[in-house]
Amino acid sequence: MTFSRRDFVKTSVLGAVATGVGAHAQNQDDRDGKENPKQNAATQKHDEQSGPHKRPIIVCANNGFNYLEDAFAFLKNGGDTLDAALRVVKGPEDDPNDDTVGLGGIPNEEGVVELDACCMHGPTRRAGSVGGVRNIKNVSLVSKAVMQHTGHVMLVGEGAERFAVAMGFPRENLLTEHSRKIWLLWKEFHSTDDWWGPGLADPHWQPPASDEKPQSEVWQHRIQNLQARAAGLGIAPEHQLAAVRKVLFPPTGTIHCSALNDKGEISGCTTTSGLAFKLPGRCGDSPIIGAGCYTDQDVGSAGATGSGEENIKVAGAHTIVENMRHGMSPHEAGMDALKRIVRNYNSDMNKVRFIDMIYYVLRKDGAYAGVSLWEGYSKGHPHKIAIHDGNRRAEICMSLFKGYSQAFPPFPDIPEDLKNNSEYLK
Ligand code: GLY
């Protein structure tokens, strides 16, 4: 694998442009902090929509796409809205190949998978939540059990796990070989600073790259070194670069789903393994009622995937639902929450470019929107919202800014041939 200096420079140069929320940054090719012009057109289109929107309807993050058919049939046949949403998110929780949720989630810094989830049932105005749960795969269902079988709203850690076992959820090892190897690679990445990875006596040991070298060369060396280590750990060639990417830029993948039936009942849920390699005990936004998910039977439902810490600070899902209560369209409501994140950094694009956030918004009348801070994590991979209202589809989210969020620290472009050959990079 080779990376040109140009590729590196392209991904690491900063830009400056007014953001539309008052900021100035420096000019840059595809991460310029310009407000996305399509956004205004979409606002207008969404706002002009009048009359009845389609019900029933389910919206979710795009990793729920494959599970929408079954959940929609269930909802259409009179199934409960929360149970329909839970059917969707259970799919990725059970899937060992989705390494951002449930079984196979990328673990914390100690190699232990810790899961977060919450749910809200609109018709009965109840909520349940669990945080930092180990050894239990379907934490979304555990959050529902907290809602149904306790007088509490949130259980965390060991108590949540013991509660789940008492409720009949099986304990199982959630760390798949795939995720364990990515974690080991992450440990080895720090091996110039600690005792993990090959030591001085290893014939292939190399001294850390000199600080005097240009940053691009340091990075190229680091990435090549990591890829060689990935091979040494037995990670298949087509998955090596994706593993390196996850080590360098820990993902926060998650799934949210909201479901609305033909009677206007609405519910939502969110589940995740959280930020990869997090500190043990870290809870992101997903189990926080009002951040990762919020549903109000009178108004609608919203949920989030992306930078959990940022979303907690703006109580994103609750903000969106309140915005809709005060008359904003789903699209406007989501965009306003995104702008609050930007304001928390005084619109400093040098910082905002390292954040991403995607909101999935469903109003009680069936109007919906998928909005994101940036167009996607990388070119050709836009953020999407999946929808089923009788017609299952995925739509590209409208982004506040043109361009792509930047992984931290900057990562060279992935060669096209590797992208095409790896399911993990698609
Ligand atoms: N949004 C998922 C997390 O930050 O944990």
Side-chain angles (χ1 to χ4, degrees), residues 116 252-254 272-275 282-286 304-309:
D116 303 330
T252 57
T254 298
T272 191
S273 53
L275 181 65
R282 176 263 190 190
C283 279
D285 57 331
S286 303
T305 62
S307 309
E309 279 73 8

Side-chain angles (χ1 to χ4, degrees), residues 11 182 185 223 226 239-251 277 377-379 381 405-409 411-414 419 424-425:
T11 58
I182 293 175
L185 186 63
I223 288 160
L226 265 175
H239 298 155
Q240 286 167 10
L241 196 59
V244 170
R245 180 178 264 281
K246 281 171 186 159
V247 165
L248 295 176
F249 317 118
F277 321 121
Y377 294 119
S378 62
K379 217 163 195 154
H381 303 95
S405 57
Q406 188 173 7
F408 184 82
F411 192 82
D413 286 346
I414 296 174
K419 269 190 214 164
Y424 284 90
L425 294 174

Side-chain angles (χ1 to χ4, degrees), residues 237-240 242 417-426:
E238 68 272 24
H239 298 155
Q240 286 167 10
D417 56 337
L418 263 174
K419 269 190 214 164
N420 295 337
N421 290 334
S422 170
E423 59 183 285
Y424 284 90
L425 294 174
K426 282 175 187 161

